[in-house]
Amino acid sequence: MKLLFVLCLQFVLETCCTGKEGHPNFVLIMVDDLGIGDLGCYGNTTLRTPNIDRLAQEGVKLTQHIAAAPLCTPSRAAFMTGRYPIRSGMAGYGRSGVYIVAAASGGLPTEEITFAKLAKQNGYSTALIGKWHLGLNCESNNDYCHHPLNHGFNYFYGITMTNLRDCQPDHGTVFSKAYGHIPFPSIAVALITVLVFHSCGIIIVPRKVVLYAALLIALGLVLFAIFVVTFPYLNCFLMKNHQIVQQPFSSEDLTTRMTHEAIEFLQRNREQPFLLVFTFLQVHTALFASQRFKGKSKHGLYGDAVEEVDWSVGQIMNTLDHLNLNERTLVYFTSDQGAHLEEISSINGDIHGGWNGIYKGGKATNWEGGIRVPGIVRWTGVLPAGTHNDQPTSNMDIFPTVVNLAGLPVPSDRIIDGHNLMPLLQGNILQSEHEFLFHYCNAYLNAVMLHPRQSDSIWKVFFFTPNFYPENSNSCLHTHVCLCTKGYITHHDPPLLFDLSKDPSEEIPLTPETEPNFHLIMAVVREAVANHTKTLSDVPNQLSLSNAIWKPWLQPCCSSLSELCVCDKDNSDANL
Ligand SMILES: *[C@@H]1O[C@H](CO)[C@@H](O)[C@H](O)[C@H]1NC(C)=O
Ligand SMILES: *[C@@H]1O[C@H](CO)[C@@H](O)[C@H](O)[C@H]1NC(C)=O
């Protein structure tokens, strides 16, 4: 009897606790463009985020959690792979650093290894619910080479793009905007004039030129008719795995549907190891919130959207509670970059971007406001609850952390820039393994953080800074996001130096007079940059013009053309 009891107990202990001791589940939550100053647990007193605050109370709050890039596409590439985006070709040299059309050929290369791919190899059930923004197809409209299912996810429910304005009524589309930039009417007038003059015999141009001019006009008209007037929703489709289930997707109840999808995934997989990546479309513009949240916050539609995000996080946490999975599940919460400060509604002046607290600048810059993001890690019983950690950490650290905990070695055939967070979070080491962090603005090395071993100082060296507009403001209102290219930045030689440990708002650059180690710091940083640069290899640029432009043959469409790519066959639960 006693023996039976012992055996039973042993059995219970083994089965109940293998998760805890062994490989935990993962729920990784990413919000879009959420500012670090928007959350109660990071000091906000007027936006209500009780669920996210609870996550922080039950876990470790990172106060210096740094996104590897200040824009969606590269930041997410780094998050998924644990590598600087420049290594995978996910850093652009041009003006735009992200994908703005779904039918572009660039995306996260198949050779890259995501944490999901490795977790799946080790028996995890994996899902991505929400925004991807890392490409879709390569050569045809159904090869899905960059699709989440090709990057280690068993299940996908969401959008391959971002929450563009295209999908909201009265906002115009990326295509119509692109048309706006091409002086189409002037070109047409010029060409027609040439044709008319030629036909009247006033000028004589070679037949070839006449032919090309006529063709150009016709092509322009056809493109305009088809893609600006007729098909406004080319970028706005919701997918379930490979199938488009809604085009255009209706954003208003999408967070609810995504939340239900997440809950169902957790319930389906309660008995087996799982990895859920849940990435909100909110709080990117054009803003939306479901009926139940509209008009409820003190901060307009932006605040409503944040509070809906918080509700959704709460639903996921409640599900983990009910399924009794808290001790077997690591939950991570973050934002892909800082708040988008230029988002001020042109209609009524409402502020549609978030709040970065005491930090300078915002999305698209490497000032702390662009890259210092919320970072909360909860694993009940394993990580100390209600603590915070001020060491520099990166969203690239999630890759090695997940891979290690899932029971696999980190790939050795490539450089992984992230570090396993567990020793730091559990207090086994006191200093972050990030002695350096390289802050890229698209493909350009913008700044370097240096946290010397055995030192409290956290130096940050800027080689260039964005030109704010208006000049003494905190953002780039003239271009809507700050840019990293010539004409929009100021180079600094010697570079600007700050000590984030004393001046987190990056207000007063240090000089050789105010910082005796100035030259030494510069020398170390220069050497680190040289070392880092040597580790970069030439890879195809996934954001080159040819990989970022719209290619008609890659365009997915959920219906026959006569139905204008409009459909709605989503059966996900939209009730609260
Ligand atoms: C809270 O967030 C809102 C919305 O982003 C912002 O306007 C406000 O200034 C923040 N409040 C505090 C105290 O940080
Ligand atoms: C650069 O690399 C060399 C050789 O590996 C190493 O000795 C040196 O410490 C590195 N410098 C910095 C600043 O990391």
Side-chain angles (χ1 to χ4, degrees):
M1 189 64 194
K2 203 171 160 195
L3 182 68
L4 197 65
F5 176 72
V6 170
L7 281 177
C8 241
L9 189 70
Q10 203 174 354
F11 175 74
V12 168
L13 281 178
E14 268 170 15
T15 44
C16 94
C17 302
T18 43
K20 186 170 159 185
E21 301 298 318
H23 312 317
N25 306 308
F26 302 96
V27 175
L28 312 176
I29 303 172
M30 183 176 272
V31 190
D32 199 353
D33 289 357
L34 180 73
I36 191 168
D38 286 326
L39 300 174
C41 51
Y42 284 91
N44 202 302
T45 48
T46 47
L47 255 173
R48 291 165 302 188
T49 55
N51 294 296
I52 299 166
D53 300 348
R54 185 191 132 198
L55 204 55
Q57 275 156 25
E58 296 174 354
V60 185
K61 179 176 78 175
L62 304 171
T63 63
Q64 199 166 162
H65 194 49
I66 304 297
L71 282 178
C72 305
T73 297
S75 173
R76 285 157 196 262
F79 167 63
M80 289 286 167
T81 61
R83 289 147 58 77
Y84 287 112
I86 189 106
R87 298 199 194 279
S88 51
M90 296 295 276
Y93 289 86
R95 205 177 144 118
S96 170
V98 301
Y99 296 110
I100 53 168
V101 288
S105 55
L108 192 63
T110 313
E111 308 80 58
E112 288 298 320
I113 301 177
T114 67
F115 51 72
K117 205 182 253 177
L118 293 174
K120 187 176 152 189
Q121 265 172 27
N122 228 23
Y124 276 74
S125 171
T126 57
L128 179 86
I129 294 175
K131 162 174 166 172
W132 173 241
H133 213 181
L134 295 173
L136 176 55
N137 290 311
C138 290
E139 284 166 5
S140 72
N141 71 358
N142 62 357
D143 62 45
Y144 307 115
C145 65
H146 304 303
H147 188 280
L149 295 196
N150 204 31
H151 275 296
F153 292 98
N154 296 120
Y155 184 68
F156 173 56
Y157 177 80
I159 63 167
T160 63
M161 280 295 296
T162 181
N163 175 39
L164 289 166
R165 283 181 169 75
D166 293 32
C167 320
Q168 313 282 335
D170 309 326
H171 273 294
T173 68
V174 162
F175 298 101
S176 54
K177 289 220 182 77
Y179 254 84
H181 283 294
I182 305 170
F184 185 69
S186 335
I187 295 175
V189 167
L191 291 176
I192 292 168
T193 313
V194 169
L195 291 185
V196 170
F197 280 23
H198 175 78
S199 57
C200 303
I202 300 172
I203 54 168
I204 294 168
V205 285
R207 266 183 72 90
K208 243 192 190 156
V209 174
V210 173
L211 205 67
Y212 280 131
L215 266 177
L216 263 179
I217 293 173
L219 186 72
L221 281 174
V222 168
L223 287 181
F224 187 78
I226 297 184
F227 297 104
V228 179
V229 184
T230 322
F231 293 97
Y233 300 121
L234 294 179
N235 279 324
C236 311
F237 50 87
L238 176 71
M239 290 183 112
K240 193 171 267 183
N241 295 327
H242 286 151
Q243 195 197 7
I244 298 181
V245 291
Q246 201 179 43
Q247 188 170 9
F249 62 81
S250 69
S251 45
E252 202 172 286
D253 63 357
L254 189 52
T255 299
T256 311
R257 282 181 283 155
M258 280 168 43
T259 308
H260 276 288
E261 287 284 335
I263 292 172
E264 277 168 18
F265 173 82
L266 297 176
Q267 285 167 343
R268 269 201 310 277
N269 292 287
R270 61 202 293 177
E271 308 285 355
Q272 66 172 102
F274 61 79
L275 178 146
L276 168 65
V277 178
F278 191 86
T279 57
F280 287 93
L281 276 63
Q282 288 162 315
V283 292
H284 194 285
T285 52
L287 292 173
F288 62 86
S290 57
Q291 272 315 325
R292 163 170 139 140
F293 291 94
K294 251 186 212 160
K296 297 291 160 63
S297 78
K298 292 194 179 119
H299 294 285
L301 191 49
Y302 181 82
D304 301 345
V306 175
E307 294 188 2
E308 182 166 19
V309 163
D310 182 75
W311 165 83
S312 173
V313 171
Q315 296 298 307
I316 292 173
M317 288 167 70
N318 289 347
T319 308
L320 293 174
D321 289 346
H322 292 149
L323 297 176
N324 215 354
L325 287 174
N326 287 344
E327 300 197 340
R328 282 196 274 152
T329 307
L330 182 148
V331 181
Y332 167 71
F333 175 94
T334 195
S335 173
D336 56 354
Q337 64 256 329
H340 191 174
L341 302 181
E342 289 83 0
E343 285 292 354
I344 298 167
S345 164
S346 56
I347 302 163
N348 51 16
D350 280 357
I351 294 174
H352 281 186
W355 179 250
N356 292 322
I358 61 165
Y359 303 109
K360 187 179 202 160
K363 175 176 179 174
T365 79
N366 280 305
W367 292 110
E368 289 294 291
I371 51 178
R372 196 181 290 220
V373 289
I376 302 171
V377 193
R378 183 190 80 172
W379 182 3
T380 307
V382 176
L383 298 180
T387 58
H388 63 92
N389 192 301
D390 302 330
Q391 285 290 309
T393 53
S394 164
N395 66 349
M396 297 184 291
D397 297 341
I398 300 308
F399 178 92
T401 307
V402 167
V403 172
N404 267 302
L405 289 173
L408 284 167
V410 165
S412 55
D413 64 340
R414 62 197 65 211
I415 293 172
I416 302 293
D417 299 295
H419 294 290
N420 183 1
L421 280 175
M422 288 306 282
L424 193 66
L425 298 181
Q426 292 188 291
N428 297 336
I429 59 169
L430 296 178
Q431 180 151 357
S432 158
E433 289 178 76
H434 288 291
E435 192 174 358
F436 301 98
L437 277 174
F438 301 95
H439 302 302
Y440 281 85
C441 191
N442 292 342
Y444 305 101
L445 186 61
N446 186 173
V448 176
M449 182 221 70
L450 160 62
H451 183 28
R453 308 245 175 253
Q454 319 298 335
S455 159
D456 289 334
S457 297
I458 298 176
W459 307 107
K460 192 165 161 195
V461 170
F462 278 91
F463 304 115
F464 64 85
T465 49
N467 299 340
F468 285 148
Y469 183 91
E471 221 165 278
N472 289 318
S473 72
N474 200 21
S475 57
C476 300
L477 280 175
H478 55 327
T479 44
H480 199 65
V481 284
C482 294
L483 303 173
C484 337
T485 40
K486 208 169 158 236
Y488 300 98
I489 54 172
T490 301
H491 283 276
H492 301 285
D493 192 15
L496 295 187
L497 174 68
F498 300 91
D499 181 356
L500 296 180
S501 71
K502 301 202 176 86
D503 180 15
S505 305
E506 301 167 292
E507 272 170 314
I508 304 158
L510 299 165
T511 62
E513 287 73 48
T514 54
E515 175 46 59
N517 288 318
F518 188 94
H519 294 295
L520 181 63
I521 295 163
M522 292 302 159
V524 172
V525 166
R526 255 194 301 276
E527 193 180 301
V529 169
N531 283 2
H532 165 74
T533 310
K534 267 186 248 154
T535 68
L536 301 177
S537 41
D538 254 340
V539 291
N541 180 3
Q542 300 295 329
L543 281 149
S544 65
L545 189 62
S546 78
N547 272 330
I549 54 163
W550 177 69
K551 295 184 173 167
W553 59 95
L554 300 186
Q555 180 63 52
C557 170
C558 66
S559 62
S560 68
L561 286 180
S562 62
E563 289 165 273
L564 305 181
C565 299
V566 170
C567 65
D568 187 359
K569 27 194 173 184
D570 187 26
N571 54 11
S572 301
D573 194 347
N575 294 312
L576 295 167

